[in-house]
């Protein structure tokens, strides 16, 4: 059983970033950081997250009956909203501090978290930009992507199109076969360098900007790729007028009670750094 005092220290202790790492993130739109969560934290949180994914998952169809999006992963959002046990991990000051420093923001708020479990035999995740879903009036959004298990080279990290975040809103295409084909053509035409960090250890993390084009390979292994993500938005950000159905849906779900022009500060968007 992990010591509660040590656990709090592990999740609140600052992660020291170098100027080179910050500059690399801002240039490329993505970054790998090693040992963002230590093994004792992973050993504690993984069974809890596994249990919540199992409890909340409504997908019962076999992989062959699902569309491309459905084959990509089991997706459970905002675990902290449904389980207090997950909150210490999701609200780790250590994680939020990294997000703030990489973006150069004085503070960050929760947008939402997601467990993304890619099953054995699960399909690829098509090329997309996360921020096409988010009605937020800022360039300062970032996602932490952390495996809860060691993942081998053939499953690997996500694949990033370096520098694509500087183009902003490239396409309104949601995650689909069409987005994969269209954005792959765009990436090739624009000659963006493609970067995968390959194998990752449990507790390592990538961080990527909301506009960074990215995809992920399928899972040819017999083991589930268990990943936890946390999406942050800079404090003092305002709600953007939603221009698509996807953004209208996100406004209702993740920014409840807010309207365009309001500061993002609903009960689902607490301040995570510099403090709650």
């Amino acid at each position: 059983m992990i010591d509660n005092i040590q656990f709090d220290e592990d999740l609140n202790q600052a992660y020291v970033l170098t100027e080179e790492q910050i500059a690399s993130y801002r240039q490329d739109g993505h970054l790998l950081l090693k040992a963002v969560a230590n093994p004792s934290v992973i050993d504690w949180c993984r069974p809890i997250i596994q249990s919540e994914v199992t409890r909340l998952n409504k997908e019962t169809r076999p992989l062959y009956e699902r569309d491309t999006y459905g084959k990509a992963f089991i997706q459970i959002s905002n675990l902290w909203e449904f389980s207090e046990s997950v909150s210490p991990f999701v609200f780790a000051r250590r994680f939020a501090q990294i997000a703030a420093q990489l973006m150069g923001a004085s503070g960050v708020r929760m947008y939402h978290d997601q467990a993304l479990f890619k099953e054995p035999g699960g399909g690829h995740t098509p090329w997309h930009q996360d921020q096409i879903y988010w009605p937020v009036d800022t360039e300062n959004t970032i996602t932490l992507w952390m495996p809860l298990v060691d993942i081998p080279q053939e499953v690997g990290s996500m694949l990033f199109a370096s520098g694509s975040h500087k183009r902003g809103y490239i396409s309104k295409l949601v995650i689909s076969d069409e987005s994969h084909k269209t954005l792959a053509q765009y990436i090739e035409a624009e000659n963006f360098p493609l970067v995968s960090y390959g194998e990752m250890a449990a507790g390592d993390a990538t961080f990527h900007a909301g506009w960074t084009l990215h995809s992920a390979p399928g899972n040819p292994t017999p083991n589930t790729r268990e990943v936890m993500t946390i999406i942050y938005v800079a404090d003092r950000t305002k709600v953007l007028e939603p221009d698509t159905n996807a953004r209208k849906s996100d406004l209702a779900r993740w920014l409840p009670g807010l309207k365009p022009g309001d500061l993002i500060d609903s009960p689902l968007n607490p301040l995570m750094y510099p403090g709650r």
Side-chain angles (χ1 to χ4, degrees):
M1 183 73 175
I2 187 169
D3 179 81
N4 286 337
I5 296 176
Q6 183 61 50
F7 184 63
D8 287 341
E9 289 180 355
D10 290 340
L11 288 176
N12 290 299
Q13 183 179 28
Y15 188 101
V16 179
L17 293 169
T18 67
E19 291 301 319
E20 290 77 14
Q21 287 171 323
I22 295 171
S24 177
Y25 170 80
R26 294 179 186 176
Q27 175 65 29
D28 296 334
H30 57 85
L31 181 71
L32 169 68
L33 296 176
K34 308 294 282 185
V36 173
N38 67 33
S40 62
V41 169
I42 296 297
D43 288 345
W44 175 85
C45 73
R46 183 188 171 208
I48 295 171
I49 293 171
Q50 283 178 319
S51 176
E52 288 305 300
V53 169
T54 298
R55 182 175 72 86
L56 297 170
N57 177 36
K58 306 302 182 186
E59 179 59 81
T60 59
R61 296 171 299 170
L63 281 167
Y64 67 84
E65 290 184 0
R66 306 180 206 168
D67 62 11
T68 299
Y69 191 101
K71 290 175 182 175
F73 37 62
I74 294 171
Q75 178 180 18
I76 307 295
S77 300
N78 251 27
L79 293 184
W80 75 271
E81 190 180 1
F82 303 106
S83 172
E84 291 185 4
S85 298
V86 179
S87 292
F89 177 84
V90 171
F91 285 93
R93 182 181 175 88
R94 179 178 175 88
F95 304 163
Q97 165 250 318
I98 295 171
Q101 281 193 266
L102 291 177
M103 293 192 295
S106 60
V108 294
R109 288 183 178 271
M110 162 71 77
Y111 188 65
H112 63 79
D113 69 48
Q114 289 181 320
L116 300 175
F117 280 29
K118 194 179 288 284
E119 300 154 279
H124 73 286
T125 306
W127 284 108
H128 66 283
Q129 293 178 295
D130 293 336
Q131 200 162 324
I132 67 162
Y133 292 94
W134 307 340
V136 297
D137 193 10
T138 183
E139 302 295 308
N140 275 340
T141 61
I142 193 169
T143 297
L144 171 154
W145 190 95
M146 180 182 289
L148 305 177
V149 293
D150 295 344
I151 53 177
Q153 176 76 33
E154 59 267 37
V155 178
S157 80
M158 291 181 288
L159 182 63
F160 300 100
S162 291
S164 57
H165 65 303
K166 296 178 180 179
R167 301 294 179 89
Y169 205 152
I170 294 170
S171 169
K172 294 182 179 181
L173 292 173
V174 297
I175 300 173
S176 62
D177 292 331
E178 185 180 3
S179 77
H180 193 68
K181 178 181 178 181
T182 301
L183 292 174
Q185 292 171 343
Y186 176 82
I187 290 165
E188 182 177 7
E190 297 298 317
N191 200 30
F192 289 116
L194 299 182
V195 175
S196 171
Y197 295 106
E199 66 182 31
M200 294 174 63
D204 292 346
T206 60
F207 288 79
H208 68 272
W211 288 128
T212 301
L213 285 165
H214 59 286
S215 65
N219 181 7
T221 76
N223 304 309
T224 298
R225 186 211 70 182
E226 302 173 19
V227 166
M228 191 65 185
T229 70
I230 307 170
I231 303 165
Y232 304 91
V233 60
D235 188 28
R236 306 297 298 175
T237 294
K238 293 183 178 181
V239 177
L240 189 69
E241 180 74 46
D243 57 345
T244 63
N245 288 334
R247 284 183 163 182
K248 290 177 183 177
S249 177
D250 260 35
L251 174 58
R253 177 62 182 93
W254 307 122
L255 308 170
L258 302 183
K259 61 184 184 299
D262 288 345
L263 287 174
I264 294 176
D265 63 356
S266 86
L268 293 188
N269 314 115
L271 186 67
M272 303 178 74
Y273 181 85
R276 293 181 63 181

